[in-house]
Amino acid sequence: MARIARALLAGALSLTTLISCTPTPEPTTAVLESAEAPVAEVPPSVSPAEARVPQDLRAKVASLMVVGVANYEQARAALDQGAGGLIIPSWADPALLHEPGRDLNALRAEYGGYGRPFSVAIDFEGGRVQRHTHVLGDFMPPRVLAGTPPEVIQGTGYDIGVALRAHGINVDYAPVVDLDLVGLEIVGDRALGSDPAEVVRVAGLFSQGLIDAAVTPTFKHFPGHGRASGDTHHQLAVTPPIEELRAADTAPYGPLLARFPQASVMMGHMIVPGLVPAGWNPADFGVGIPSSLNPEAYRILREGDYPGGVPFNGVVVTDDLSGMRGILDYAPTPEAVKRAIGAGADQALWSSGADLPHIIDVVVAAVEAGEIPIERVDEAATRVQQQLIDVGL
């Protein structure tokens, strides 16, 4: 299976090379303006990732947005607005994955040729969470995969990665590292198990396979959805207090992030009692706010402030800010995007992709008003660019 997958990858890379050598279509006005902008001299102390961050504030903010697109036209419109990432939802036209000249690889050849690299992500765990299987392949549920030999686990990660990368996708929102401790249905066979050490073992093998195929794995959902009161797709959900999560649910993250610092982490929407940001009055905090909007959740992750934790300087992406009641019952998408970036998210994700120009403007206004420090936007944009560099984009 691995030999076949490697052959497919080689073919895909050859196809990408051929595409990049063919004449590209005339760029849109937005792309042309970006291409014609004067290039500032880069100081020697600036990293390659920092050098790729747009200097214009609106373009910089736009590079933090990951939006759902249903077809080629929507993808072009999002890229013309400067979106730094696309997510391919289940309702997308599969032609976006394979139609020559109108697929993701064609868009990469066009926009990348004008200095506009972008990320493309998908939810592809195997089992009940895998998109467009008739194009990308059908794989066993993670819980079943966990019971197979190590070479099958890593080989499955590799085969998934090869299929994704061949079709223009460079980020997989997998594996799930939530612990299945109370039988929550939304977790179930998506989880690798209930023992943190076993979750680390299987997630590590699977993630290595993805990385070998030049696809970024994403560990989710920090700080742990396994014991939430419900499914954040359908309701506000509350976990046990943060000290209980520290004792178990966060355990997989330290070993995995130590081994895979180039991975990303998805911040969940769970409300965690006791997760109170510094300077906030607990008496005014109520039950709390979703972790995706909570600066303390990002601080704990960044500093590795949990047993076995390590500092993490990679990309943190939010869970969906448009399609889940666990966030929409708390804040509308434009407000949630603004607050998530201000709290510490590097990428704000919303699967509907709606209102992208307006939401960019909302965040820009927040930066100009001092609600979000420009340094927060700069560090996020740099991490996004570094992740693209890490997978050769």
Side-chain angles (χ1 to χ4, degrees):
M1 180 181 291
R3 287 197 299 270
I4 294 172
R6 290 188 180 93
L8 289 172
L9 178 61
L13 294 176
S14 298
L15 176 61
T16 302
T17 302
L18 288 172
I19 292 173
S20 65
C21 293
T22 59
T24 58
E26 287 297 319
T28 63
T29 302
V31 175
L32 194 57
E33 288 175 352
S34 173
E36 292 176 349
V39 178
E41 185 175 345
V42 178
S45 60
V46 172
S47 71
E50 289 173 316
R52 288 169 49 151
V53 172
Q55 295 304 301
D56 174 73
L57 175 59
R58 192 174 193 281
K60 191 179 301 185
V61 166
S63 75
L64 311 184
M65 309 301 174
V66 178
V67 295
V69 292
N71 52 50
Y72 177 79
E73 287 75 21
Q74 287 185 11
R76 286 193 67 92
L79 294 173
D80 285 343
Q81 285 295 320
L86 310 177
I87 178 172
I88 309 303
S90 59
W91 58 85
D93 180 354
L96 186 55
L97 300 174
H98 63 73
E99 184 178 346
R102 289 175 57 84
D103 61 3
L104 294 170
N105 283 322
L107 290 169
R108 285 203 185 283
E110 178 181 352
Y111 286 82
Y114 291 96
R116 291 275 306 283
F118 58 92
S119 178
V120 181
I122 196 168
D123 281 305
F124 207 99
E125 303 166 8
R128 54 182 158 139
V129 180
Q130 51 183 343
R131 316 301 187 201
H132 305 288
T133 55
H134 57 295
V135 177
L136 300 173
D138 191 357
F139 297 85
M140 69 186 80
R143 179 66 58 80
V144 176
L145 181 65
T148 64
E151 61 271 21
V152 174
I153 300 170
Q154 185 165 333
T156 298
Y158 181 76
D159 291 342
I160 289 173
V162 166
L164 299 186
R165 192 61 191 258
H167 292 89
I169 300 165
N170 65 284
V171 176
D172 189 4
Y173 290 148
V176 170
V177 297
D178 297 321
L179 304 182
D180 184 21
L181 295 172
V182 297
L184 190 64
E185 196 277 335
I186 188 59
V187 178
D189 64 357
R190 297 173 62 196
L192 299 171
S194 57
D195 175 52
E198 177 65 2
V199 170
V200 168
R201 182 187 76 85
V202 180
L205 289 165
F206 181 85
S207 298
Q208 186 62 60
L210 288 176
I211 288 172
D212 289 344
V215 170
T216 300
T218 305
F219 305 125
K220 61 185 187 184
H221 307 80
F222 193 86
H225 196 299
R227 291 188 282 170
S229 61
D231 178 358
T232 51
H233 290 87
H234 303 303
Q235 63 190 83
L236 289 169
V238 182
T239 70
I242 183 58
E243 291 311 315
E244 291 189 34
L245 295 192
R246 287 179 192 269
D249 300 73
T250 60
Y253 287 91
L256 287 170
L257 293 176
R259 181 177 172 187
F260 303 109
Q262 73 273 53
S264 53
V265 173
M266 179 174 284
M267 187 66 73
H269 295 322
M270 307 79 61
I271 294 172
V272 182
L275 199 63
V276 182
W280 293 37
N281 184 349
D284 298 332
F285 197 60
V287 67
I289 61 174
S291 297
S292 53
L293 309 184
N294 190 333
E296 183 67 0
Y298 293 94
R299 184 198 68 78
I300 288 173
L301 176 59
R302 290 295 182 202
E303 297 181 7
D305 186 15
Y306 52 92
V310 297
F312 177 59
N313 194 39
V315 168
V316 182
V317 59
T318 69
D319 208 341
D320 188 359
L321 296 170
S322 67
M324 303 176 70
R325 299 312 313 177
I327 193 70
L328 292 177
D329 286 348
Y330 193 90
T333 300
E335 178 69 12
V337 169
K338 181 185 76 172
R339 292 181 61 173
I341 292 172
D346 303 307
Q347 291 181 319
L349 159 68
W350 69 102
S351 62
S352 74
D355 300 324
L356 174 59
H358 169 65
I359 291 175
I360 294 171
D361 289 342
V362 166
V363 178
V364 168
V367 175
E368 292 175 337
E371 294 180 57
I372 300 175
I374 185 61
E375 294 79 11
R376 168 82 274 279
V377 176
D378 285 337
E379 69 179 4
T382 300
R383 289 179 182 131
V384 168
Q385 293 302 321
Q386 184 60 55
Q387 185 178 88
L388 289 165
I389 291 172
D390 287 343
V391 292
L393 293 174

